[in-house]
Amino acid sequence: MTAAPPMVLAEGVHKRFGRLEVLKGIDLSVDPGEVMCIVGPSGSGKSTFLRCINHLEKIEAGRLSVDGELVGYRQQGDKLYELRESEVARRRAEIGMVFQHFNLFGHMTALGNICEAPVQVRRIGRKQAAVRARELLERVGLAEKCDAFPAQLSGGQQQRVAIARALAMDPKLMLFDEPTSALDPELVGEVLAVIRGLADDGMTMVVVTHEMGFAREVADSIVFMDGGVIVESGTPAELLSNPREARTRDFLAKVL
């Protein structure tokens, strides 16, 4: 019996914006069911790497695959060819992404926001999509808010709707880009509780976060990035309690 491929596999991933090299050869793998938290100072490349995983950003060099399939490319012989946008969109639909700013459609209710992608992308009937959307709203603790518009919701509630919207596509992988950094401190806990529940359910997740207590509690592995490279990685106990690298120790001294 062959082992399942890593859910995410990055091999020598490079990304630049003009002259600025943002990712300088990222190597990592995330196993199915694993929760990986990526931490580090602002500008270290964390969010850019997350956006490369679902091809919102194209990589310049290296290879990146999700569940054994290259992201954004197909291989023929030893050459890589970029996929058509329709093919990229099909694969991207299998990856849920939750952004720092909630990106909800302001003119749609919470229910409408969650139904939209399954109806438009997966061609699911609107009635069936609405049943699933109500289940997901209940799961994120917002069953009573299905008819509320984003402007009527707190930031924490909007972010929980955004998580439900991502889950509506039944993704095999969830990416979270600083999901609590735009929230007032008292609203952070309700969003982290939802993510913690997903972890308990075995969802594979990569979470860029500055919430160290959450990373310690939920992550299977933590990666510390700085200057476009992975400085070190390990279990929460290893990395947060006994870091090997001086740069990691210096960063943790400021945030713990």
Side-chain angles (χ1 to χ4, degrees):
M1 189 172 149
T2 55
M7 185 58 77
V8 179
L9 181 62
E11 302 168 282
V13 169
H14 287 256
K15 173 67 188 173
R16 61 172 60 249
F17 295 108
R19 289 185 175 172
L20 179 66
E21 193 172 21
V22 182
L23 300 177
K24 304 172 183 174
I26 300 294
D27 295 294
L28 62 72
S29 73
V30 183
D31 289 330
E34 181 178 349
V35 179
M36 175 182 284
C37 285
I38 303 179
V39 303
S42 294
S44 57
K46 309 181 302 293
S47 294
T48 298
F49 177 64
L50 212 62
R51 291 171 67 85
C52 290
I53 294 176
N54 70 351
H55 207 58
L56 287 173
E57 300 289 354
K58 297 175 185 176
I59 64 176
E60 262 79 47
R63 295 163 66 90
L64 193 49
S65 58
V66 171
D67 200 19
E69 284 194 332
L70 284 171
V71 172
Y73 300 89
R74 63 183 167 82
Q75 183 161 0
Q76 227 171 323
D78 55 0
K79 282 197 167 164
L80 293 181
Y81 296 90
E82 198 162 346
L83 295 173
R84 288 195 301 274
E85 189 52 45
S86 60
E87 186 64 18
V88 172
R90 183 186 69 75
R91 293 192 184 177
R92 191 181 286 142
E94 300 179 328
I95 303 170
M97 185 149 185
V98 177
F99 299 89
Q100 185 173 342
H101 300 287
F102 327 118
N103 295 7
L104 297 175
F105 297 117
H107 65 289
M108 291 184 181
T109 63
L111 196 76
N113 266 281
I114 298 168
C115 289
E116 188 66 8
V119 170
Q120 299 297 337
V121 179
R122 289 263 161 90
R123 303 292 184 225
I124 289 170
R126 201 163 279 279
K127 194 176 283 188
Q128 184 186 344
V131 170
R132 174 81 172 125
R134 287 178 194 279
E135 287 171 3
L136 289 167
L137 281 169
E138 188 163 342
R139 181 174 183 176
V140 300
L142 293 172
E144 75 291 354
K145 297 291 186 184
C146 63
D147 295 324
F149 288 90
Q152 299 168 312
L153 301 172
S154 71
Q157 290 170 334
Q158 288 185 60
Q159 191 61 296
R160 284 187 280 158
V161 172
I163 294 171
R165 178 179 62 181
L167 292 173
M169 294 294 282
D170 290 321
K172 57 176 74 169
L173 169 68
M174 284 285 283
L175 307 176
F176 291 89
D177 187 10
E178 301 267 14
T180 60
S181 64
L183 301 178
D184 293 333
E186 67 269 21
L187 302 177
V188 167
E190 64 191 41
V191 172
L192 294 182
V194 172
I195 301 173
R196 198 176 287 118
L198 293 177
D200 291 342
D201 292 344
M203 173 66 77
T204 311
M205 294 189 279
V206 182
V207 185
V208 170
T209 185
H210 57 277
E211 299 285 342
M212 294 298 157
F214 170 77
R216 184 189 295 277
E217 181 190 338
V218 174
D220 298 301
S221 59
I222 300 182
V223 168
F224 172 61
M225 281 181 69
D226 188 29
V229 300
I230 292 175
V231 176
E232 70 176 291
S233 60
T235 65
E238 289 164 349
L239 193 126
L240 297 179
S241 304
N242 193 23
R244 298 184 306 275
E245 303 292 332
R247 181 67 192 93
T248 316
R249 290 195 291 273
D250 181 45
F251 172 75
L252 293 174
K254 293 186 175 86
V255 299
L256 286 179

